[in-house]
Amino acid sequence: MARMKFLCDAERCIECNGCVTACKNEHEVPWGVNRRRVVTLNDGLPGEKSISVACMHCSDAPCMAVCPVDCFYKTSEGVVLHDKDLCIGCGYCFYACPFGAPQFPQDGAFGMRGKMDKCTFCAGGPEADNSPEEFKKYGRNRLSEGKLPACAEMCSTKALLGGDADVVADIYRNRVLKRGKGAEVWGWGTAYGKPEKGATPPAGAKS
Amino acid sequence: MQVGMRQWLCAGLAALAFVFTMPAFAADASSGQDQAARQQSQPGNNAPVWRDVRSGDNKYQTTQVRGVESSVLMQPEGETWRQVRNNLVTIYGGWLLVAIMAIIGGFYYWKGPIKLHEKPTGRQLLRFGSWDRMVHWGAAISFILLSVTGTIILFGKHIVLPVVGFTLFSWLATLSKYIHNFVGPVFAFCVVLMFVTFVKDNFPKAHDLKWLAKFGGLVSGEHVPSGRFNAGEKVWFWLGVTLLGLVVSVTGFILNFPNFEQGRELMQIANVIHAISAVLFLTMGLSHIYLGTVGVEGAYDAMRTGYVDETWAKEHHEYWYRDAVAQQKSGGGATNPAAASSMKEGWKQ
Ligand code: HEM
Ligand code: SF4
Ligand code: SF4
């Protein structure tokens, strides 16, 4: 089975924030929560680079490891999902995540952050595929419809790639060969550098 | 990670030594210029950019998304925190708690409770007035609530979840988190009251050294005189209530109010210090609770009713006993509320 991964090509990203907008629109993410963001390095200087980042769906995911209620699970395609019914909003996943992916809807005085929200690789959550409950909590489940993540599909320069890791890596390799520079696959070492862990897909919700 | 780990442990130790400072990871503010220069000399070499991604301190690093550190692309310290919390804190902390419970259980099995040697006189002495007891029970009840709920947050995943299942455990953890986060500030307030109320009888005296050298006769059964509080209680007062109470409260407040948008590194360090001091606090607290309840006959009644028998006072806190009796005599019964009510109590029996 395919292993899903994101790859952002810093040589191509033009900081248009199309992916951010596509994500917010697709999933009707609440105000204040952004599952994806674009970060620009050396903004306004020669050599400026931009990178779009969201949950990378790590192979040995730190968020999964620290969650005190163990509410994360990994699909057979390597997508890291979580169960909002179990989440207690402690923020530990946010402290552990290398990419700052977990988000919280509330301001958090007395630790009242609300349920954590993050990129699902457009794969929904533990509820039945494409059910209204799933949409309300996690947004659209495009993967179950055979579609790839909306952000990558929408990317105007095809800087952001999301899908089967082998295909994504092949595309990138070809690009690097043709242009002869920009070979750094940003974030892959951190996200996928360790052996896969926790890929035991539960059939439905954890309960 | 390699850089992180050592600095991290140092940071933890430093803070436990009461120095609460943030280790600032080297900021590389000039790397924007670095890359500009590199573009001239070696077009296509992006190394300075990738260094920025890791350090996250570049002032030219921007994003349109608002949020805590949203312009930081990557924070490798998260992985270090995970290792420290999940391994060092959870495993060693967990075994430390198991060990202290085994030691206390073993001691109880071996020695049993410490009983009075002589008959109670029936005459009562006031040991803790109503203010003393109110402050103590405020601190004690909030301490127990925080200990139970904190333990569930830290160890529950390994010991409770497998037994009760995901749904029930999530409930329990939610409840624990609410209790912990709202009782925490109450406890912090009680720590201040505890300090103010009991500090006057906790200053170290010369005879405390003798008490410590003989470990209070806890093992030998020998009588070692002490003031109102013995050296063991003074250690608990200074290292436990005061020092650990303060450390746990300060770090707890940092964790409790993420609405001030503290960075993740501060949260990680606060969490590790909080959890380590909480485990140490619990270790001392369990010993204190044991000695205050089943371990020493009559100790619990002292804190419940406020009164102790004169025999108890003589056998456990001889210097205090002498002072209290002398004061009672010189002060005259009626003007001294302690003496007045103790006479009443004594008469009742
Ligand atoms: C008797 C004193 C206390 C004990 C034994 C204790 C214990 C603990 C433990 C074991 C944890 C879990 C750490 C982890 O999972 O890594 C924790 C977390 C926490 N503690 Fe405490 N704690 C105490 C006092 C306090 C106080 C005074 C405050 C606040 C003023 C506080 C606020 C917090 C917060 C905010 C968390 C994070 C948990 C969350 O928000 O979900 N604690 N504590
Ligand atoms: S990127 Fe963050 S949230 Fe996503 S799997 Fe990795 S650690 Fe978890
Ligand atoms: S915020 Fe929710 S998902 Fe994240 S670690 Fe806490 S309980 Fe788990």
Side-chain angles (χ1 to χ4, degrees):
Chain A
M1 202 160 231
R3 200 319 179 174
M4 295 297 171
K5 285 181 187 173
F6 277 125
L7 191 158
C8 185
D9 187 342
E11 298 293 318
R12 284 192 175 216
C13 178
I14 55 166
E15 196 202 351
C16 71
N17 280 287
C19 48
V20 178
T21 314
C23 175
K24 280 207 83 112
N25 184 62
E26 186 76 3
H27 303 297
E28 297 177 20
V29 184
W31 176 249
V33 172
N34 286 284
R35 293 181 177 179
R36 181 169 281 288
R37 64 190 196 278
V38 177
V39 176
T40 303
L41 306 157
N42 298 330
D43 198 1
L45 298 170
E48 172 185 310
K49 293 273 180 299
S50 291
I51 290 165
S52 170
V53 62
C55 172
M56 293 288 276
H57 304 276
C58 306
S59 47
D60 176 17
C63 58
M64 275 177 115
V66 297
C67 178
V69 292
D70 209 5
C71 79
F72 289 89
Y73 62 100
K74 194 178 266 188
T75 71
S76 52
E77 289 169 316
V79 178
V80 176
L81 298 176
H82 72 295
D83 188 337
K84 284 195 182 183
D85 293 344
L86 301 180
C87 171
I88 63 171
C90 64
Y92 287 5
C93 47
F94 175 61
Y95 305 158
C97 174
F99 303 102
Q103 304 282 308
F104 296 90
Q106 289 164 32
D107 81 331
F110 290 96
M112 309 284 269
R113 293 180 178 82
K115 308 274 184 190
M116 186 274 276
D117 189 275
K118 74 166 186 69
C119 158
T120 63
F121 209 88
C122 288
E127 276 83 3
D129 285 351
N130 299 306
S131 61
E133 296 78 47
E134 183 189 51
F135 178 72
K136 206 164 149 253
K137 288 180 203 160
Y138 309 95
R140 202 81 62 198
N141 188 338
R142 294 169 55 95
L143 238 54
S144 71
E145 298 168 343
K147 298 173 187 160
L148 287 172
C151 51
E153 296 278 88
M154 206 68 79
C155 181
S156 56
T157 61
K158 289 286 163 273
L160 184 62
L161 305 171
D164 184 338
D166 295 337
V167 179
V168 165
D170 269 351
I171 296 174
Y172 195 70
R173 202 172 299 121
N174 277 329
R175 280 185 193 172
V176 173
L177 282 175
K178 291 223 171 75
R179 68 191 177 203
K181 61 171 182 171
E184 298 92 347
V185 192
W186 179 77
W188 273 36
T190 303
Y192 313 123
K194 290 196 198 161
E196 195 81 41
K197 248 196 200 164
T200 40
K206 270 187 175 183
S207 58
Chain B
M1 170 85 188
Q2 319 84 298
V3 201
M5 187 69 91
R6 206 173 328 117
Q7 284 194 347
W8 251 87
L9 289 174
C10 292
L13 290 174
L16 279 180
F18 220 66
V19 186
F20 196 72
T21 46
M22 296 289 307
F25 292 119
D28 187 7
S30 64
S31 45
Q33 280 80 17
D34 274 8
Q35 178 62 23
R38 188 68 63 87
Q39 286 284 306
Q40 303 297 318
S41 59
Q42 306 169 27
N45 183 339
N46 292 335
V49 167
W50 301 109
R51 221 178 297 133
D52 281 359
V53 169
R54 287 221 154 247
S55 78
D57 284 325
N58 189 333
K59 59 184 161 166
Y60 298 105
Q61 194 159 318
T62 59
T63 183
Q64 301 189 18
V65 165
R66 278 191 273 169
V68 177
E69 296 177 319
S70 59
S71 66
V72 175
L73 261 180
M74 209 196 270
Q75 57 117 18
E77 300 85 41
E79 176 64 21
T80 313
W81 174 67
R82 162 202 179 168
Q83 299 296 348
V84 174
R85 177 186 179 265
N86 279 13
N87 297 323
L88 186 89
V89 176
T90 311
I91 296 176
Y92 292 103
W95 283 114
L96 179 65
L97 289 177
V98 170
I100 192 71
M101 285 191 281
I103 290 172
I104 291 173
F107 186 80
Y108 181 74
Y109 184 77
W110 176 43
K111 286 268 167 183
I114 300 170
K115 294 214 160 79
L116 289 184
H117 301 293
E118 280 161 41
K119 272 208 153 60
T121 58
R123 287 188 304 278
Q124 305 279 307
L125 279 176
L126 180 67
R127 184 160 166 76
F128 298 112
S130 55
W131 170 257
D132 290 359
R133 277 176 289 147
M134 228 158 64
V135 170
H136 177 269
W137 285 118
I141 292 168
S142 48
F143 179 87
I144 290 169
L145 285 172
L146 289 169
S147 306
V148 172
T149 54
T151 307
I152 288 174
I153 295 168
L154 182 54
F155 302 108
K157 179 181 182 176
H158 308 289
I159 53 178
V160 185
L161 193 148
V163 182
V164 301
F166 285 99
T167 307
L168 207 59
F169 181 68
S170 163
W171 259 60
L172 196 65
T174 308
L175 185 70
S176 296
K177 179 176 167 256
Y178 285 152
I179 293 177
H180 200 94
N181 291 0
F182 285 96
V183 172
V186 176
F187 176 77
F189 182 62
C190 288
V191 163
V192 176
L193 296 184
M194 280 290 286
F195 184 82
V196 174
T197 306
F198 292 108
V199 69
K200 63 180 188 298
D201 292 313
N202 273 296
F203 292 112
K205 298 268 163 62
H207 56 72
D208 289 328
L209 285 177
K210 242 181 269 165
W211 193 98
L212 281 179
K214 295 182 176 165
F215 201 54
L218 217 62
V219 178
S220 62
E222 183 190 337
H223 173 71
V224 189
S226 65
R228 185 174 181 213
F229 297 119
N230 63 40
E233 289 172 300
K234 287 179 186 177
V235 168
W236 167 236
F237 178 83
W238 288 107
L239 292 186
V241 178
T242 306
L243 179 64
L244 290 175
L246 203 68
V247 171
V248 151
S249 300
V250 169
T251 51
F253 274 119
I254 295 172
L255 293 167
N256 216 1
F257 293 95
N259 49 311
F260 292 113
E261 314 213 321
Q262 305 87 310
R264 283 164 288 183
E265 206 179 308
L266 176 61
M267 290 301 220
Q268 292 155 0
I269 291 173
N271 169 277
V272 167
I273 295 172
H274 189 80
I276 292 177
S277 9
V279 166
L280 295 177
F281 210 175
L282 254 169
T283 309
M284 293 178 93
L286 283 170
S287 319
H288 173 75
I289 292 170
Y290 168 77
L291 291 171
T293 53
V294 290
V296 177
E297 190 189 41
Y300 179 74
D301 290 329
M303 201 40 96
R304 209 181 74 86
T305 65
Y307 289 96
V308 293
D309 193 274
E310 283 192 3
T311 308
W312 188 93
K314 203 159 119 195
E315 290 186 10
H316 290 291
H317 299 276
E318 197 176 344
Y319 298 141
W320 172 72
Y321 164 74
R322 282 192 224 150
D323 288 350
V325 170
Q327 202 188 9
Q328 211 175 35
K329 284 203 182 111
S330 67
T335 51
N336 185 340
S341 41
S342 65
M343 276 186 339
K344 207 164 72 199
E345 292 275 318
W347 173 79
K348 251 196 295 191
Q349 284 186 343

